[in-house]
Amino acid sequence: MAPPEISIVVPVYNEEENLPLLAAEIHGAMRPLGRPYEVIYVDDGSTDGSPGVLQELAREDPSTRVIRQRRNSGQTAALDAGFRFARGGIVVTLDADLQNDPADIPRLLEAMDEGYDVVSGVRTNRRDTFVRKASSRIANRVRNRLTRDNVTDVGCTLRACRAEYLRGIPVFTGMHRFLPTLLAMAGARKTEIPVNHRPRLHGQPKYNISNRLWRALADLFAVRWMQKRWIDRRLSEEIDAWNTSLSGTPGPPSASSARPSSSAASSSSGSPPSGTSGASSPGPSGT
Ligand code: UDP
Ligand code: MG
C-alpha cells in the first residue's frame, strides 16, 4: 500500500467516551480533501475501555492504526511514538479529548501548502478555567522571553508539521510544550493560525497547575541551554571536487531553492513566505 500523505497522531489516555466521536470528526474533516491519510492513536497505557474502543475503530477503518505504550509514559512520549510510526510526510497532532476541533485540520494543511514546515493552532476562544488560562498566558510570556521566540499558544496541541523536522529534534519528556521552538531550531519555517477550542465534556484532564508549572520551568532552562549549544547540521554539505568553486563565501541555500528535502542537511534557512512567522533560526554566532 502506498504510504499516506498525512498522518494524524492522537495521544490517548483514558478517553473512551471521546474516541468514537473524535474518529467520526477526523474522518468528516479529512475525507472531503481526497488526500491519502492515516490516523494513529497512541494508547498511553489507558486503564479504561479505550484499548477496546481503539481496536474497534481500527477494525472498522483500514486507515486507522493503534500504537500501544506498554505503560503510561506521558503525552510527550505518546506523541513521539506516533511520530516514529507515522508514514506521512505531514504529521498532524491533536488531543483525544475533543477540545481540539478536527474541522480545523484542512486549514492547517492549507498553510502547510503555502510552504510552511510547522503550523500551530492558537486557541482564540479557549474553553478552560480562568486559572488555567491565566497561568498559561504567564507561562507563554516567560517562555518566549527566555527562548527569544514568539509562540502565541504553546499549549495548543493542534498542529501540522513536516515529518522530517520531527525526526531531527531532541526528544525529552515535556518536549511537546516546546515543539515549535525546537522545530525552528532545526530550520523549520513556522506560522500560526487561529483554531477552535471546546470544553472537555468527558473524562478527566490529566494535568494541573502544580504538575505542569515546575516541570515546564525546568524544561524551559533546558531548552534555553540547548539553543545555546545547538549544532546546526544544515551547515554541512559535501563538496563536489570538480564543480565547486572555493572562491567566495559559501552562503546558505537561497530561499527559492530551499524547499526542504528528506535529507536533514538540505533544509532551509530562508524566511517564510509571509504571515505571522516566528522562525527563529539559530544564527551562526552560537549565542
Ligand atoms: N495524554 C496522554 N498521556 C498522559 C496524559 C495525557 O496520552 O499521560 C493525552 C490525553 O488523553 C489527551 C492529551 O494527552 O489526548 C492531552 O491531555 P489533557 O486533555 O488532559 O491535557 P490538557 O487539555 O489539560 O492540556
Ligand atoms: Mg485537554
Side-chain angles (χ1 to χ4, degrees):
M1 205 165 58
E5 181 192 352
I6 299 151
S7 297
I8 297 169
V9 171
V10 188
V12 176
Y13 184 52
N14 294 345
E15 306 281 4
E16 60 180 339
E17 290 163 293
N18 294 315
L19 292 170
L21 189 53
L22 176 72
E25 290 190 355
I26 291 176
H27 293 309
M30 292 304 293
R31 282 193 182 128
L33 302 182
R35 296 167 76 163
Y37 70 95
E38 63 181 1
V39 189
I40 301 182
Y41 296 97
V42 184
D43 172 21
D44 187 18
S46 294
T47 51
D48 69 349
S50 297
V53 178
L54 291 178
Q55 193 167 16
E56 195 52 41
L57 291 174
R59 285 184 182 167
E60 283 165 7
D61 169 55
S63 71
T64 295
R65 302 164 67 197
V66 182
I67 309 299
R68 179 178 53 182
Q69 298 284 78
R70 286 199 199 94
R71 59 182 149 84
N72 177 246
S73 354
Q75 186 182 356
T76 318
L79 284 169
D80 173 62
F83 297 161
R84 283 181 285 120
F85 282 87
R87 294 176 304 157
I90 294 177
V91 175
V92 174
T93 57
L94 76 162
D95 286 350
D97 59 1
L98 294 170
Q99 291 204 264
N100 298 135
D101 188 348
D104 286 317
I105 298 176
R107 287 192 306 114
L108 294 177
L109 296 173
E110 269 172 36
M112 293 292 286
D113 292 343
E114 285 169 26
Y116 290 101
D117 303 308
V118 53
V119 183
S120 306
V122 176
R123 296 166 291 182
T124 41
N125 61 333
R126 184 147 170 211
R127 304 293 295 276
D128 276 318
T129 61
F130 171 77
V131 176
R132 279 189 144 215
K133 285 192 277 192
S135 64
S136 50
R137 206 165 320 156
I138 296 167
N140 280 327
R141 213 169 293 157
V142 175
R143 199 174 280 139
N144 283 328
R145 174 79 52 89
L146 244 90
T147 58
R148 294 173 196 167
D149 208 344
N150 55 355
V151 182
T152 312
D153 185 9
V154 86
C156 180
T157 327
L158 181 56
R159 296 189 185 107
C161 181
R162 273 178 228 290
E164 69 213 56
Y165 289 101
L166 290 171
R167 296 187 182 122
I169 57 169
V171 180
F172 58 93
T173 301
M175 165 194 78
H176 69 275
R177 295 195 192 93
F178 295 90
L179 211 51
T181 302
L182 296 169
L183 291 164
M185 280 161 69
R189 289 173 292 189
K190 61 183 165 61
T191 191
E192 302 181 335
I193 62 167
V195 294
N196 191 17
H197 194 241
R198 308 181 290 191
R200 192 189 243 282
L201 296 181
H202 307 287
Q204 293 301 316
K206 277 69 184 185
Y207 302 103
N208 55 45
I209 302 291
S210 59
N211 70 13
R212 212 189 297 242
L213 179 70
W214 298 114
R215 280 186 220 165
L217 203 62
D219 294 345
L220 176 56
F221 289 110
V223 169
R224 181 74 200 117
W225 176 87
M226 258 184 260
Q227 284 180 315
K228 288 183 183 162
R229 295 285 196 275
W230 185 254
I231 292 173
D232 191 352
R233 291 182 168 168
R234 292 172 292 162
L235 296 175
S236 324
E237 57 187 5
E238 183 166 353
I239 296 297
D240 174 346
W242 293 104
N243 290 315
T244 307
S245 145
L246 292 181
S247 57
T249 339
S254 75
S256 58
S257 65
R259 277 280 4 107
S261 73
S262 51
S263 117
S266 67
S267 66
S268 135
S269 59
S271 52
S274 65
T276 57
S277 75
S280 56
S281 150
S285 60
T287 47

